Amino acid sequence: MARIGILTCSNATQDLGCSSASCLADLRKRAGAFAKYPSGEPLDLVGIINCPGCPTLTGADKLLQRIRGITEFGVDAIHFTYCIKALCPFTGKYRKALAEAFPDIKVVVGTHKSRLTEEEFRGRVKRLFCQDKKIMADMVLKKK
Ligand code: SF4
């Protein structure tokens, strides 16, 4: 049995409301990055945790602290979600930091397969972020 943890991007989950449904669907179907596990090996999802946010000058330290929410429960692999793969400029650094901190855990970049190219995905996510949205200042200043 492979015990799996999933790390998601907080821009996708917290800001854009992604429920990780596509990642979990492909885990159940053993598709996308989960197709690489041997067919007879059961996959056990141990936990999902979101990145603590873009790292500023603290580098990977925030993530190394946060990821204990999964590693403390014993996992064989941590999968970075498709959105991290496509969106996060720190993917390579995070992968290296986790591999150094947890040498017994396999770090896999990817979860579900995508119908879009990464460039198309990034373009669509950018449009979501840039929608005309009201903020508190609009209410306080009574802008329409
Ligand atoms: S550091 Fe990467 S994974 Fe974390 S919130 Fe920022 S873009 Fe998302």
Side-chain angles (χ1 to χ4, degrees), residues 9-11 51 53-55 84 88 90 94:
C9 171
S10 53
N11 278 295
C51 168
C54 294
I84 290 185
C88 179
F90 311 104
Y94 283 169

Side-chain angles (χ1 to χ4, degrees), residues 12-25:
T13 57
Q14 310 300 299
D15 289 1
L16 297 178
C18 179
S19 64
S20 307
S22 297
C23 297
L24 297 181

Side-chain angles (χ1 to χ4, degrees), residues 95-138:
R95 180 183 203 168
K96 187 167 176 284
L98 259 59
E100 283 170 9
F102 305 101
D104 296 333
I105 299 175
K106 196 165 141 196
V107 181
V108 181
V109 178
T111 45
H112 65 79
K113 56 184 183 302
S114 176
R115 288 177 291 110
L116 306 173
T117 65
E118 288 187 12
E119 196 179 342
E120 288 167 339
F121 180 77
R122 281 192 285 274
R124 291 191 189 191
V125 168
K126 185 173 178 178
R127 285 201 291 281
L128 280 179
F129 272 123
C130 298
Q131 289 175 102
D132 188 21
K133 186 161 66 177
K134 296 296 177 206
I135 60 172
M136 288 300 279
D138 295 320

